[in-house]
Amino acid sequence: GLEREEKPVFCDMQSVKETEFFRAAEHGVNALYTAVIHSYEYSGEKFVEYKGVEYSVYRSYEKKDKEVVELTLAENKRDG
């Protein structure tokens, strides 16, 4: 199986924007948060743990001018 690697990062957690919420819902995804982290701390991870709950990364958007990445976090529906 795949090894799970955990690395703590500082982030700015925000409620997901309304337009992003509805866009995700059209695809059956329950988008819950937007996590803003430094670009150098994101390496394409597919899952994020926040306050003991695992979320899947639905979308990532790099804001090059600010050197941050916005991660749209969704309810994790994977099995196990």
Coordinates of all heavy atoms in Angstrom, one line a residue:
G1 N 0.8 -1.2 0.0 CA 0.0 0.0 0.0 C 0.9 1.2 0.0 O 2.1 1.2 0.0
L2 N 0.2 2.3 0.0 CA 0.9 3.6 0.0 C 1.2 4.1 1.4 O 0.4 3.9 2.3 CB 0.0 4.7 -0.7 CG -0.3 4.5 -2.2 CD1 -1.3 5.5 -2.6 CD2 1.0 4.6 -3.0
E3 N 2.3 4.6 1.6 CA 2.7 5.2 2.9 C 2.1 6.5 3.1 O 2.0 7.3 2.2 CB 4.2 5.3 3.1 CG 4.9 4.0 3.5 CD 6.3 4.3 3.9 OE1 6.6 5.2 4.6 OE2 7.1 3.5 3.4
R4 N 1.6 6.8 4.3 CA 1.0 8.1 4.6 C 2.1 8.9 5.3 O 2.7 8.6 6.2 CB -0.2 7.9 5.5 CG -0.8 9.1 5.9 CD -2.0 8.8 6.9 NE -2.5 10.0 7.4 CZ -3.8 10.3 7.6 NH1 -4.7 9.4 7.2 NH2 -4.2 11.4 8.0
E5 N 2.3 10.1 4.7 CA 3.3 11.0 5.2 C 2.5 12.3 5.7 O 1.8 12.9 5.0 CB 4.3 11.4 4.2 CG 5.3 12.4 4.7 CD 6.3 12.9 3.6 OE1 6.4 12.2 2.6 OE2 6.8 14.0 3.7
E6 N 2.7 12.6 7.0 CA 2.1 13.8 7.5 C 3.1 14.9 7.7 O 4.2 14.6 8.1 CB 1.5 13.4 8.9 CG 0.3 12.5 8.8 CD -0.4 12.3 10.1 OE1 -0.1 13.0 11.1 OE2 -1.3 11.4 10.1
K7 N 2.7 16.1 7.3 CA 3.6 17.2 7.6 C 2.7 18.4 7.9 O 1.8 18.8 7.2 CB 4.4 17.6 6.4 CG 3.7 18.0 5.1 CD 4.6 18.3 4.0 CE 3.9 18.8 2.8 NZ 4.7 19.2 1.7
P8 N 2.9 19.0 9.1 CA 2.1 20.1 9.5 C 2.5 21.4 8.7 O 3.6 21.6 8.5 CB 2.4 20.3 11.0 CG 3.7 19.6 11.2 CD 3.8 18.6 10.1
V9 N 1.5 22.2 8.3 CA 1.7 23.4 7.7 C 0.8 24.5 8.2 O -0.3 24.2 8.7 CB 1.5 23.3 6.1 CG1 2.5 22.4 5.5 CG2 0.1 23.0 5.8
F10 N 1.2 25.7 8.2 CA 0.4 26.8 8.6 C -0.5 27.2 7.4 O -0.1 27.2 6.3 CB 1.2 28.0 9.0 CG 1.9 27.9 10.3 CD1 3.2 27.5 10.3 CD2 1.2 28.0 11.5 CE1 3.9 27.4 11.5 CE2 1.8 27.8 12.7 CZ 3.2 27.5 12.7
C11 N -1.8 27.5 7.7 CA -2.7 27.8 6.6 C -3.7 28.8 7.1 O -3.9 29.0 8.3 CB -3.4 26.6 6.1 SG -4.5 25.8 7.2
D12 N -4.4 29.4 6.2 CA -5.5 30.3 6.5 C -6.8 29.6 6.0 O -7.0 29.4 4.8 CB -5.4 31.7 5.7 CG -6.5 32.6 5.9 OD1 -7.3 32.4 6.8 OD2 -6.6 33.6 5.1
M13 N -7.5 29.1 7.0 CA -8.7 28.3 6.6 C -9.9 29.3 6.5 O -10.1 30.1 7.3 CB -9.1 27.3 7.7 CG -8.1 26.1 7.8 SD -8.1 25.1 6.2 CE -9.5 24.1 6.5
Q14 N -10.6 29.1 5.4 CA -11.8 30.0 5.1 C -12.9 29.1 4.6 O -12.8 28.0 4.2 CB -11.4 30.9 3.9 CG -10.2 31.7 4.1 CD -9.7 32.4 2.9 OE1 -10.3 32.3 1.8 NE2 -8.7 33.2 3.0
S15 N -14.1 29.6 4.8 CA -15.3 28.9 4.2 C -15.2 29.0 2.7 O -14.6 29.9 2.2 CB -16.6 29.7 4.6 OG -16.8 29.6 6.0
V16 N -15.6 27.9 2.1 CA -15.6 27.9 0.6 C -16.5 28.9 0.0 O -17.6 29.2 0.6 CB -15.9 26.4 0.1 CG1 -17.4 26.1 0.3 CG2 -15.5 26.2 -1.3
K17 N -16.1 29.6 -1.0 CA -16.9 30.6 -1.7 C -18.1 30.0 -2.3 O -18.1 28.8 -2.7 CB -16.1 31.3 -2.8 CG -14.9 32.1 -2.2 CD -14.1 32.7 -3.4 CE -12.9 33.5 -2.9 NZ -11.9 32.7 -2.2
E18 N -19.2 30.7 -2.3 CA -20.5 30.2 -2.7 C -20.5 29.7 -4.1 O -21.0 28.6 -4.4 CB -21.6 31.3 -2.6 CG -23.0 30.9 -2.9 CD -24.0 32.0 -2.7 OE1 -23.6 33.2 -2.7 OE2 -25.2 31.6 -2.7
T19 N -19.8 30.4 -5.1 CA -19.7 29.9 -6.4 C -19.0 28.6 -6.5 O -19.4 27.7 -7.3 CB -19.0 30.9 -7.4 OG1 -17.8 31.3 -6.8 CG2 -19.9 32.2 -7.5
E20 N -17.9 28.4 -5.7 CA -17.1 27.2 -5.7 C -17.9 26.1 -5.1 O -17.9 24.9 -5.6 CB -15.8 27.4 -4.9 CG -14.9 26.2 -5.0 CD -14.2 26.1 -6.4 OE1 -14.0 27.1 -7.1 OE2 -14.0 24.9 -6.7
F21 N -18.7 26.4 -4.1 CA -19.6 25.4 -3.5 C -20.6 24.8 -4.5 O -20.7 23.6 -4.6 CB -20.3 26.0 -2.3 CG -21.3 25.0 -1.7 CD1 -20.9 24.1 -0.7 CD2 -22.6 25.1 -2.0 CE1 -21.8 23.2 -0.2 CE2 -23.6 24.2 -1.5 CZ -23.1 23.2 -0.5
F22 N -21.2 25.7 -5.2 CA -22.2 25.2 -6.2 C -21.6 24.5 -7.4 O -22.2 23.6 -7.9 CB -23.2 26.3 -6.6 CG -24.1 26.7 -5.5 CD1 -24.0 27.9 -4.8 CD2 -25.2 25.8 -5.1 CE1 -24.9 28.2 -3.8 CE2 -26.0 26.1 -4.1 CZ -25.9 27.3 -3.4
R23 N -20.5 25.0 -7.8 CA -19.8 24.4 -8.9 C -19.4 22.9 -8.6 O -19.6 22.0 -9.4 CB -18.5 25.2 -9.3 CG -17.8 24.6 -10.5 CD -16.6 25.4 -10.9 NE -16.9 26.8 -11.1 CZ -16.2 27.9 -10.6 NH1 -15.1 27.6 -9.9 NH2 -16.5 29.1 -10.9
A24 N -18.9 22.7 -7.4 CA -18.5 21.4 -6.9 C -19.8 20.5 -6.8 O -19.7 19.3 -7.1 CB -17.8 21.5 -5.6
A25 N -20.8 21.1 -6.2 CA -22.1 20.4 -6.0 C -22.6 19.8 -7.3 O -23.2 18.7 -7.3 CB -23.1 21.2 -5.3
E26 N -22.4 20.5 -8.4 CA -22.9 20.0 -9.7 C -22.2 18.7 -10.1 O -22.7 18.0 -10.9 CB -22.6 21.1 -10.8 CG -23.5 22.3 -10.7 CD -23.1 23.4 -11.7 OE1 -22.1 23.2 -12.5 OE2 -23.8 24.4 -11.8
H27 N -21.0 18.5 -9.5 CA -20.3 17.2 -9.8 C -20.4 16.2 -8.6 O -19.6 15.3 -8.5 CB -18.8 17.6 -10.0 CG -18.6 18.4 -11.2 ND1 -18.6 18.0 -12.5 CD2 -18.5 19.8 -11.3 CE1 -18.4 19.0 -13.3 NE2 -18.4 20.1 -12.6
G28 N -21.4 16.5 -7.7 CA -21.6 15.6 -6.6 C -20.6 15.7 -5.5 O -20.4 14.8 -4.7
V29 N -19.9 16.8 -5.4 CA -18.9 17.0 -4.4 C -19.3 18.0 -3.4 O -19.9 19.1 -3.7 CB -17.5 17.6 -5.1 CG1 -16.5 17.9 -4.0 CG2 -17.0 16.5 -6.0
N30 N -19.1 17.7 -2.1 CA -19.5 18.6 -1.0 C -18.3 19.4 -0.6 O -17.5 19.0 0.3 CB -20.1 17.8 0.2 CG -20.6 18.7 1.3 OD1 -20.8 19.9 1.1 ND2 -20.9 18.1 2.4
A31 N -18.0 20.6 -1.2 CA -16.9 21.4 -0.9 C -17.2 22.2 0.4 O -18.2 22.8 0.6 CB -16.6 22.4 -2.0
L32 N -16.2 22.1 1.3 CA -16.4 22.7 2.7 C -15.5 23.9 3.0 O -16.0 24.8 3.7 CB -16.3 21.6 3.7 CG -17.2 20.4 3.6 CD1 -16.8 19.3 4.5 CD2 -18.7 20.9 3.9
Y33 N -14.2 23.8 2.7 CA -13.3 24.8 3.1 C -12.4 25.2 1.9 O -12.2 24.4 1.0 CB -12.4 24.3 4.2 CG -13.1 24.0 5.5 CD1 -13.3 22.7 5.9 CD2 -13.5 25.0 6.4 CE1 -14.0 22.4 7.1 CE2 -14.1 24.7 7.6 CZ -14.4 23.4 7.9 OH -15.0 23.1 9.1
T34 N -11.7 26.3 2.1 CA -10.6 26.7 1.3 C -9.4 26.9 2.2 O -9.5 27.7 3.1 CB -10.9 28.0 0.5 OG1 -12.0 27.8 -0.4 CG2 -9.7 28.5 -0.4
A35 N -8.4 26.2 2.0 CA -7.1 26.4 2.8 C -6.1 27.1 1.9 O -5.8 26.7 0.8 CB -6.6 25.0 3.2
V36 N -5.6 28.2 2.4 CA -4.6 29.0 1.7 C -3.2 28.7 2.4 O -3.1 29.0 3.6 CB -4.9 30.5 1.7 CG1 -3.9 31.3 1.0 CG2 -6.3 30.8 1.2
I37 N -2.3 28.1 1.6 CA -1.0 27.8 2.1 C 0.1 28.3 1.2 O -0.2 28.7 0.1 CB -0.8 26.3 2.3 CG1 -0.8 25.5 1.0 CG2 -1.9 25.7 3.2 CD1 -0.5 24.1 1.1
H38 N 1.3 28.4 1.7 CA 2.5 28.8 0.9 C 2.7 27.8 -0.2 O 2.6 26.6 0.0 CB 3.7 28.9 1.7 CG 3.7 30.0 2.7 ND1 3.5 29.9 4.0 CD2 3.8 31.4 2.5 CE1 3.5 31.0 4.6 NE2 3.7 32.0 3.7
S39 N 3.0 28.3 -1.4 CA 3.2 27.4 -2.6 C 4.2 26.3 -2.3 O 4.1 25.2 -2.8 CB 3.5 28.2 -3.8 OG 2.5 29.1 -4.1
Y40 N 5.3 26.7 -1.7 CA 6.4 25.8 -1.5 C 6.1 24.6 -0.5 O 6.8 23.6 -0.4 CB 7.7 26.5 -1.0 CG 7.6 27.2 0.4 CD1 7.7 26.5 1.5 CD2 7.3 28.5 0.5 CE1 7.6 27.1 2.8 CE2 7.2 29.2 1.7 CZ 7.3 28.4 2.8 OH 7.2 29.0 4.1
E41 N 4.9 24.7 0.2 CA 4.5 23.7 1.1 C 3.5 22.7 0.5 O 3.2 21.7 1.1 CB 3.9 24.3 2.4 CG 4.9 25.0 3.2 CD 4.3 25.5 4.5 OE1 3.4 26.3 4.6 OE2 4.8 25.0 5.6
Y42 N 3.1 22.9 -0.8 CA 2.2 22.0 -1.4 C 2.8 21.3 -2.5 O 3.4 21.8 -3.4 CB 1.0 22.8 -2.0 CG -0.1 22.0 -2.6 CD1 -0.8 21.0 -1.8 CD2 -0.3 22.0 -4.0 CE1 -1.7 20.2 -2.4 CE2 -1.3 21.2 -4.5 CZ -2.0 20.3 -3.8 OH -2.9 19.5 -4.3
S43 N 2.7 19.9 -2.5 CA 3.4 19.1 -3.5 C 2.4 18.2 -4.1 O 2.7 17.0 -4.4 CB 4.5 18.3 -2.8 OG 5.4 19.1 -2.1
G44 N 1.2 18.6 -4.3 CA 0.2 17.8 -5.0 C -0.6 16.8 -4.1 O -1.2 15.9 -4.6
E45 N -0.5 17.0 -2.8 CA -1.2 16.1 -1.9 C -2.7 16.0 -2.3 O -3.3 17.0 -2.6 CB -1.0 16.5 -0.4 CG 0.4 16.3 0.1 CD 1.3 17.4 -0.2 OE1 0.9 18.4 -0.9 OE2 2.5 17.3 0.1
K46 N -3.3 14.8 -2.1 CA -4.7 14.6 -2.5 C -5.6 14.7 -1.2 O -6.8 14.8 -1.4 CB -4.9 13.3 -3.2 CG -4.1 13.2 -4.5 CD -4.6 14.1 -5.5 CE -3.9 13.9 -6.8 NZ -4.0 15.1 -7.7
F47 N -5.0 14.6 0.0 CA -5.8 14.6 1.2 C -5.2 15.5 2.2 O -3.9 15.7 2.2 CB -5.9 13.2 1.8 CG -6.6 12.2 0.8 CD1 -5.8 11.4 0.0 CD2 -8.0 12.2 0.7 CE1 -6.4 10.5 -0.9 CE2 -8.6 11.3 -0.2 CZ -7.8 10.5 -1.0
V48 N -6.0 16.1 3.0 CA -5.6 17.1 4.0 C -6.3 16.7 5.3 O -7.5 16.5 5.3 CB -5.9 18.5 3.6 CG1 -5.7 19.5 4.7 CG2 -5.1 18.9 2.4
E49 N -5.6 16.8 6.4 CA -6.3 16.6 7.7 C -6.4 18.0 8.4 O -5.4 18.7 8.5 CB -5.5 15.6 8.6 CG -6.2 15.3 9.9 CD -5.5 14.3 10.7 OE1 -5.2 13.2 10.2 OE2 -5.3 14.6 11.9
Y50 N -7.6 18.3 8.9 CA -7.8 19.5 9.6 C -8.7 19.2 10.8 O -9.8 18.7 10.7 CB -8.5 20.5 8.7 CG -8.9 21.8 9.3 CD1 -7.9 22.7 9.8 CD2 -10.2 22.2 9.3 CE1 -8.3 23.9 10.4 CE2 -10.6 23.4 9.9 CZ -9.6 24.3 10.5 OH -10.0 25.5 11.1
K51 N -8.2 19.6 12.0 CA -8.9 19.3 13.3 C -9.4 17.9 13.4 O -10.5 17.6 13.8 CB -10.1 20.3 13.4 CG -9.7 21.7 13.6 CD -10.9 22.6 13.9 CE -10.4 24.0 14.2 NZ -11.5 24.9 14.5
G52 N -8.5 17.0 13.0 CA -8.7 15.5 13.2 C -9.6 14.9 12.1 O -9.9 13.7 12.2
V53 N -10.0 15.7 11.1 CA -10.9 15.2 10.0 C -10.1 15.2 8.7 O -9.5 16.2 8.4 CB -12.2 16.0 9.9 CG1 -13.1 15.5 8.8 CG2 -13.0 16.0 11.2
E54 N -10.2 14.1 7.9 CA -9.5 14.1 6.7 C -10.5 14.6 5.6 O -11.6 14.1 5.5 CB -9.0 12.7 6.3 CG -8.2 12.6 5.1 CD -7.6 11.3 4.9 OE1 -8.3 10.4 4.3 OE2 -6.4 11.0 5.2
Y55 N -10.0 15.5 4.7 CA -10.7 16.0 3.6 C -9.9 15.7 2.3 O -8.7 15.6 2.3 CB -10.8 17.5 3.7 CG -11.6 18.0 4.9 CD1 -10.9 18.2 6.1 CD2 -13.0 18.1 4.9 CE1 -11.6 18.6 7.2 CE2 -13.7 18.4 6.0 CZ -13.0 18.7 7.2 OH -13.7 19.1 8.3
S56 N -10.6 15.6 1.2 CA -9.9 15.4 -0.1 C -9.7 16.8 -0.7 O -10.5 17.7 -0.5 CB -10.7 14.5 -1.0 OG -12.0 15.0 -1.2
V57 N -8.6 17.0 -1.5 CA -8.4 18.2 -2.2 C -9.1 18.1 -3.5 O -8.7 17.4 -4.4 CB -6.9 18.4 -2.4 CG1 -6.6 19.7 -3.2 CG2 -6.1 18.5 -1.1
Y58 N -10.2 18.9 -3.6 CA -11.0 18.9 -4.8 C -10.4 19.7 -5.9 O -10.4 19.3 -7.1 CB -12.4 19.5 -4.5 CG -13.3 19.7 -5.7 CD1 -13.7 18.7 -6.5 CD2 -13.6 21.0 -6.0 CE1 -14.5 18.9 -7.6 CE2 -14.4 21.3 -7.1 CZ -14.8 20.2 -7.9 OH -15.6 20.5 -9.0
R59 N -9.7 20.8 -5.6 CA -9.1 21.7 -6.6 C -8.0 22.5 -5.9 O -8.1 22.8 -4.7 CB -10.2 22.7 -7.1 CG -9.8 23.6 -8.2 CD -10.9 24.5 -8.6 NE -11.0 25.6 -7.7 CZ -10.4 26.8 -7.9 NH1 -9.6 27.0 -8.9 NH2 -10.6 27.8 -7.0
S60 N -7.0 22.7 -6.7 CA -5.9 23.6 -6.2 C -5.7 24.7 -7.2 O -5.8 24.5 -8.4 CB -4.6 22.8 -6.0 OG -4.2 22.3 -7.2
Y61 N -5.4 25.9 -6.7 CA -5.3 27.1 -7.6 C -4.1 27.9 -7.0 O -4.1 28.4 -5.9 CB -6.5 28.0 -7.5 CG -6.4 29.2 -8.3 CD1 -6.3 29.2 -9.7 CD2 -6.3 30.5 -7.7 CE1 -6.2 30.4 -10.4 CE2 -6.1 31.6 -8.4 CZ -6.1 31.6 -9.7 OH -5.9 32.8 -10.4
E62 N -3.0 28.0 -7.8 CA -1.8 28.7 -7.4 C -1.9 30.2 -7.8 O -2.2 30.5 -9.0 CB -0.6 28.1 -8.1 CG 0.7 28.7 -7.6 CD 1.9 28.0 -8.0 OE1 1.8 27.0 -8.8 OE2 3.0 28.4 -7.6
K63 N -1.8 31.0 -6.8 CA -1.8 32.5 -7.0 C -0.3 32.9 -7.0 O 0.3 33.2 -6.0 CB -2.6 33.2 -5.9 CG -4.0 32.7 -5.9 CD -4.7 33.4 -4.7 CE -5.6 34.5 -5.3 NZ -6.5 35.1 -4.3
K64 N 0.3 32.9 -8.2 CA 1.7 33.2 -8.3 C 2.1 34.5 -7.8 O 3.2 34.7 -7.2 CB 2.1 33.0 -9.8 CG 2.0 31.6 -10.3 CD 2.5 31.5 -11.7 CE 2.2 30.2 -12.3 NZ 2.9 29.0 -11.7
D65 N 1.3 35.5 -7.9 CA 1.6 36.9 -7.5 C 1.8 36.9 -5.9 O 2.5 37.7 -5.4 CB 0.6 37.9 -8.0 CG -0.8 37.6 -7.5 OD1 -1.2 36.4 -7.4 OD2 -1.6 38.5 -7.3
K66 N 1.1 36.0 -5.3 CA 1.1 36.0 -3.8 C 1.9 34.8 -3.2 O 2.0 34.7 -2.0 CB -0.3 36.0 -3.2 CG -1.1 37.2 -3.7 CD -2.3 37.4 -2.7 CE -3.3 38.4 -3.2 NZ -2.9 39.7 -3.3
E67 N 2.4 34.0 -4.1 CA 3.2 32.8 -3.7 C 2.4 31.9 -2.7 O 2.9 31.3 -1.8 CB 4.5 33.2 -3.1 CG 5.4 33.9 -4.1 CD 6.7 34.3 -3.6 OE1 7.0 34.2 -2.3 OE2 7.5 34.8 -4.3
V68 N 1.1 31.8 -3.0 CA 0.2 30.9 -2.2 C -0.6 30.0 -3.1 O -0.7 30.2 -4.3 CB -0.7 31.6 -1.2 CG1 0.0 32.4 -0.2 CG2 -1.7 32.5 -2.0
V69 N -1.1 28.9 -2.5 CA -2.0 28.0 -3.2 C -3.3 27.9 -2.4 O -3.3 27.8 -1.2 CB -1.4 26.6 -3.3 CG1 -2.4 25.6 -4.0 CG2 -0.1 26.6 -4.1
E70 N -4.4 28.0 -3.2 CA -5.7 27.9 -2.5 C -6.2 26.4 -2.8 O -6.2 26.0 -3.9 CB -6.8 28.8 -3.1 CG -6.6 30.2 -2.8 CD -7.7 31.1 -3.3 OE1 -8.5 30.6 -4.1 OE2 -7.7 32.3 -3.0
L71 N -6.4 25.7 -1.7 CA -6.9 24.3 -1.9 C -8.4 24.3 -1.5 O -8.7 24.6 -0.4 CB -6.1 23.4 -0.9 CG -4.6 23.4 -1.1 CD1 -4.0 22.5 0.0 CD2 -4.2 22.9 -2.5
T72 N -9.2 23.8 -2.4 CA -10.6 23.6 -2.1 C -10.8 22.2 -1.5 O -10.4 21.2 -2.1 CB -11.5 23.7 -3.3 OG1 -11.3 25.1 -3.9 CG2 -13.0 23.6 -3.0
L73 N -11.2 22.1 -0.2 CA -11.3 20.9 0.5 C -12.7 20.4 0.5 O -13.7 21.2 0.8 CB -10.8 21.1 1.9 CG -9.4 21.6 2.1 CD1 -9.0 21.7 3.5 CD2 -8.4 20.8 1.3
A74 N -12.9 19.1 0.3 CA -14.2 18.5 0.2 C -14.4 17.4 1.2 O -13.4 16.8 1.6 CB -14.5 18.0 -1.2
E75 N -15.6 17.0 1.4 CA -15.9 15.9 2.3 C -15.2 14.7 1.6 O -15.3 14.4 0.4 CB -17.4 15.7 2.3 CG -17.9 14.6 3.1 CD -19.4 14.5 3.1 OE1 -20.0 14.5 2.0 OE2 -20.0 14.5 4.2
N76 N -14.5 13.9 2.5 CA -13.7 12.8 2.0 C -14.6 11.6 1.8 O -15.2 11.1 2.8 CB -12.6 12.5 2.9 CG -11.6 11.4 2.3 OD1 -11.8 10.9 1.2 ND2 -10.6 11.0 3.1
K77 N -14.8 11.0 0.6 CA -15.7 9.9 0.4 C -15.0 8.6 0.1 O -15.6 7.6 -0.3 CB -16.7 10.2 -0.7 CG -17.6 11.3 -0.4 CD -18.7 11.5 -1.4 CE -19.6 12.6 -1.0 NZ -20.8 12.7 -1.9
R78 N -13.6 8.6 0.3 CA -12.9 7.4 -0.1 C -13.2 6.3 1.0 O -13.4 6.6 2.1 CB -11.4 7.6 -0.3 CG -10.7 7.8 1.0 CD -9.2 8.0 0.7 NE -8.5 8.2 1.9 CZ -7.2 8.2 2.0 NH1 -6.4 7.9 0.9 NH2 -6.5 8.4 3.1
D79 N -13.1 5.1 0.6 CA -13.3 4.0 1.5 C -12.0 3.6 2.2 O -11.0 3.4 1.5 CB -13.8 2.7 0.7 CG -15.2 3.0 0.1 OD1 -16.0 3.7 0.7 OD2 -15.4 2.5 -1.0
G80 N -12.1 3.6 3.6 CA -10.9 3.1 4.3 C -9.9 4.2 4.3 O -8.8 4.1 4.7

